[in-house]
Amino acid sequence: MEKIYAKITGVHGYVPDYVLSNQELETMVETSDEWITSRTGIKERRILKGENQGTSVIGIASIKGLLEKTQTDPEEVDLIICATCTPDMVFPSTANIIANGVGAINSFSYDLQAACSGFLYALATASKFVESGTYKKVVVVGADKMSSIIDYTDRSTCIIFGDGGGAVLLEPTTEPLGVIDSMMRTDGSGAEFLHMKAGGSRKPANHQTIDNREHYVFQEGATVFKFAVTNMADISAKIMEKNGLSPDDIAWLVPHQANLRIIDATAKRMGVGPEKVMINISKYGNTTAGTIPLCLWDYESKLKKGDNLILAAFGGGFTWGSIYLKWAYNG
Ligand code: UT7
């Protein structure tokens, strides 16, 4: 039997309208546009405002746009995997709410939680359902409403994160296009450096956890930075080596957008020039599971059929990974 590949046949993203600029942050915490720009590369981020607006809003808008663009009937969608660490509710899965919102009545759907590596974990997982011949139309959406878990009195985290996300459609092909290889890793001993202290089963919410501000992202930035640089660069170099790819073979590096300095270090380690690196961190900040689909969406018009892409991410868990993807259509 001929090998089946899972190719991406469309990408679409969504960011909320409200722009939180560095200048506005200067009025909220002791920081400066100069510090934020030079330490992270971020100029502004988007915030989802309003009552009852959860991550599903971002997921639904992304997938509605995707299905329209690819002329896909929502009833044909077999599976939706939503990568998020800011679900609408602890349960049910945000993916269930999204599936209902887009009219994917014949699909099944579930969430996958791998923080900033969530989109890559979900893409690696989804591609297997297509490669096995089980499903023909699988949607992967990465979305986060980070503003719901950010402490806007903590200058070391509130300047980084934003809200947004994007989705891709995976379909089968016998041409060698789409997900060619993936390498994923986890190291749970890193949990202590990046986590949310309360609100889970270990420490459910109570008055004290609220008073202690334990329902927000806790991050030891410098430690996470160190691990991110090493691991994201190492795994990207490994996947290139495993697939016999030299820097000249790479059309685009698509890195998780956490910090411009981490992105630069990864590209340097891979030997990939800055002109081949997708970067939009200045506009959106770190949207966690949303960064990679948002990059693909922003750069879609520049992509050509057959382009070799290396996707790379690092995040809470720790989780990290890399995917070697052959782009399947001219943007
Ligand atoms: O996406 C998931 C994974 N997350 C990441 O990859 C994030 C990785 N970490 C980072 O990107 C960086 O560590 C940060 C951007 C979070 C922080 O940058 P840094 O260069 O590592 O700063 P630092 O935490 O070592 O702090 C250096 C100084 C400190 O002051 P002192 O103690 O030296 O006086 C901080 O208090 O910078 C201070 N600082 C700030 N100053 C102005 C921290 N945040 C700010 C701020 N404005 N917003």
Side-chain angles (χ1 to χ4, degrees):
M1 211 177 87
E2 242 180 321
K3 181 173 164 42
I4 301 171
Y5 292 86
K7 66 172 176 179
I8 290 180
T9 53
V11 56
H12 199 76
Y14 174 79
V15 287
D17 292 334
Y18 189 86
V19 176
L20 174 59
S21 65
N22 289 352
Q23 286 70 26
E24 188 176 350
L25 281 167
E26 283 175 352
T27 69
M28 296 160 65
V29 288
E30 203 185 320
T31 190
S32 65
D33 174 46
E34 197 283 324
W35 192 96
I36 302 171
T37 308
S38 63
R39 304 307 290 167
T40 69
I42 302 167
K43 287 299 225 184
E44 55 190 44
R45 62 293 288 144
R46 300 300 181 96
I47 304 294
L48 183 61
K49 298 256 186 188
E51 287 288 303
N52 276 316
Q53 303 286 292
T55 294
S56 64
V57 170
I58 298 165
I60 289 169
S62 301
I63 298 179
K64 275 191 173 166
L66 174 71
L67 298 182
E68 206 177 294
K69 189 170 166 180
T70 55
Q71 297 182 344
T72 304
D73 182 343
E75 297 188 10
E76 284 179 88
V77 174
D78 299 302
L79 165 64
I80 297 175
I81 305 179
C82 175
T84 188
C85 67
T86 51
D88 279 27
M89 297 176 248
V90 171
F91 75 91
S93 273
T94 301
N96 306 158
I97 298 163
I98 293 174
N100 181 54
V102 302
I105 54 169
N106 295 312
S107 73
F108 78 112
S109 61
Y110 60 88
D111 287 358
L112 187 154
Q113 215 278 65
C116 296
S117 310
F119 184 78
L120 292 196
Y121 271 47
L123 184 58
T125 307
S127 66
K128 300 299 167 198
F129 283 107
V130 177
E131 287 165 16
S132 65
T134 313
Y135 299 120
K136 295 209 159 34
K137 289 189 191 292
V138 177
V139 173
V140 178
V141 56
D144 271 299
K145 183 187 171 186
M146 293 306 292
S147 62
S148 64
I149 55 167
I150 291 300
D151 180 351
Y152 286 95
T153 65
D154 174 8
R155 68 176 182 174
S156 66
T157 50
C158 74
I159 54 132
I160 304 172
F161 293 98
D163 303 340
V168 297
L169 178 64
L170 288 180
E171 295 183 81
T173 177
T174 49
E175 268 187 278
L177 294 168
V179 177
I180 305 295
D181 198 8
S182 61
M183 290 173 99
M184 299 293 144
R185 295 286 185 274
T186 301
D187 177 2
S189 70
E192 65 179 291
F193 305 113
L194 181 52
H195 60 263
M196 193 163 99
K197 294 194 182 302
S201 57
R202 189 191 284 191
K203 206 178 199 189
N206 60 38
H207 288 292
Q208 203 185 355
T209 62
I210 291 169
D211 291 345
N212 292 343
R213 307 186 77 79
E214 291 179 325
H215 295 273
Y216 297 119
V217 169
F218 168 87
Q219 175 171 257
E220 272 189 40
T223 308
V224 176
F225 186 94
K226 207 175 64 193
F227 279 99
V229 167
T230 310
N231 288 320
M232 212 158 103
D234 276 1
I235 200 124
S236 304
K238 267 195 196 123
I239 207 164
M240 282 173 67
E241 197 184 324
K242 186 175 162 214
N243 290 279
L245 296 168
S246 74
D248 285 345
D249 299 321
I250 308 294
W252 293 101
L253 166 65
V254 193
H256 169 53
Q257 311 280 303
N259 186 317
L260 192 55
R261 291 181 292 143
I262 299 175
I263 295 171
D264 289 345
T266 305
K268 209 167 160 196
R269 168 78 201 279
M270 292 165 67
V272 170
E275 71 289 352
K276 292 181 174 183
V277 185
M278 290 192 190
I279 298 174
N280 60 11
I281 190 170
S282 65
K283 295 194 288 182
Y284 308 137
N286 182 350
T287 55
T288 303
T291 61
I292 289 179
L294 275 176
C295 270
L296 292 173
W297 182 49
D298 269 0
Y299 281 78
E300 187 189 20
S301 63
K302 293 187 182 3
L303 293 168
K304 291 190 221 55
K305 185 175 176 181
D307 275 355
N308 288 323
L309 273 57
I310 298 289
L311 281 45
F314 180 88
F318 292 139
T319 55
W320 66 101
S322 189
I323 287 184
Y324 165 31
L325 188 79
K326 250 189 198 299
W327 198 250
Y329 59 94
N330 293 319

